[in-house]
């Protein structure tokens, strides 16, 4: 089934095509990996809606990516609950271990590192979303284990030794 057919099938469930923009964007992103301008235009054309409506949603929600991201998109929450429980130090650790800054992707295309305003999981602070999965109560050891697990999942051997064996700042 083509992307157009998938979007049309989903859009048929909605009385107003504008209501189908978010599910259509999810389909398009699964198909293309991210949502560059031509893909946003294609979604608008399929739904018969204004491109600006599609663009507004694609750029507002952090689950949509208008630029390419790595195989694993690490989205670390930096809101108050997570910040108070050490997310700033975890961000520094992730940057050091991955050799990238916030907003960048590793040279092998495996990891993109971002911060997000709130993941709505304060009870698990500090928390990070990787794809559709949440990982909470994070510390350096859990971050290192998660990175090793993701590398193994991708079929790659850890290419960077862990920079810290204890929480940053100690």
């Amino acid at each position: 089934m083509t992307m157009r057919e998938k979007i049309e099938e989903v859009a048929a469930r909605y009385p107003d095509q504008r209501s189908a923009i978010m599910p259509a964007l999810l389909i398009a992103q699964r198909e293309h990996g991210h949502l560059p301008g031509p893909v946003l235009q294609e979604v608008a054309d399929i739904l018969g809606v204004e491109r600006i409506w599609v663009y507004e949603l694609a750029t507002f929600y952090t689950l949509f990516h208008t630029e390419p991201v790595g195989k694993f998109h690490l989205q670390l929450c930096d809101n108050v609950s997570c910040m108070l429980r050490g997310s700033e130090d975890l961000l520094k650790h992730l940057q050091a271990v991955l050799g990238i800054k916030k907003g960048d992707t590793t040279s092998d295309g495996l990891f993109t590192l971002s911060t997000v305003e709130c993941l709505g999981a304060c009870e698990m602070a500090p928390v990070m979303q990787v794809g559709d999965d949440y990982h909470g109560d994070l510390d350096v050891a859990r971050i290192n284990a998660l990175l090793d697990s993701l590398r193994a999942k991708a079929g790659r051997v850890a290419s960077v030794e862990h920079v810290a064996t204890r929480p940053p700042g100690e």
Side-chain angles (χ1 to χ4, degrees):
M1 185 179 284
T2 68
M3 183 182 84
R4 174 178 283 279
E5 292 168 334
K6 291 174 187 174
I7 290 173
E8 288 172 347
E9 181 180 297
V10 167
R13 300 178 198 155
Y14 296 91
D16 180 349
Q17 294 300 283
R18 190 172 182 177
S19 300
I21 295 173
M22 285 190 64
L25 287 172
L26 288 170
I27 291 167
Q29 185 166 271
R30 270 189 235 113
E31 181 85 17
H32 295 279
H34 69 290
L35 300 167
V39 173
L40 296 177
Q41 182 64 55
E42 185 177 0
V43 169
D45 291 345
I46 293 168
L47 295 175
V49 299
E50 297 291 327
R51 182 174 184 257
I52 189 65
W53 297 345
V54 174
Y55 177 81
E56 287 171 341
L57 289 178
T59 57
F60 179 77
Y61 291 102
T62 59
L63 75 147
F64 298 123
H65 315 295
T66 56
E67 298 292 328
V69 294
K71 179 173 179 68
F72 301 108
H73 189 188
L74 310 175
Q75 297 180 90
L76 182 66
C77 180
D78 65 359
N79 208 325
V80 174
S81 296
C82 290
M83 183 192 64
L84 290 173
R85 301 216 46 220
S87 67
E88 290 174 325
D89 287 338
L90 293 177
L91 176 62
K92 289 175 189 171
H93 176 72
L94 282 162
Q95 291 178 134
V97 134
L98 297 173
I100 58 174
K101 294 181 181 175
K102 176 177 77 169
D104 291 342
T105 300
T106 56
S107 60
D108 62 3
L110 201 56
F111 298 105
T112 297
L113 179 60
S114 302
T115 57
V116 292
E117 180 59 29
C118 183
L119 290 172
C122 299
E123 74 282 359
M124 298 184 346
V127 66
M128 181 167 61
Q129 183 176 355
V130 181
D132 294 333
D133 299 324
Y134 277 37
H135 301 272
D137 298 315
L138 293 173
D139 57 23
V140 168
R142 285 191 173 128
I143 292 273
N144 291 345
L146 175 61
L147 293 175
D148 288 345
S149 169
L150 294 171
R151 284 187 183 102
K153 187 176 184 179
R156 300 192 187 163
V157 178
S159 60
V160 178
E161 289 188 30
H162 299 300
V163 173
T165 55
R166 63 188 193 292
E170 281 191 0

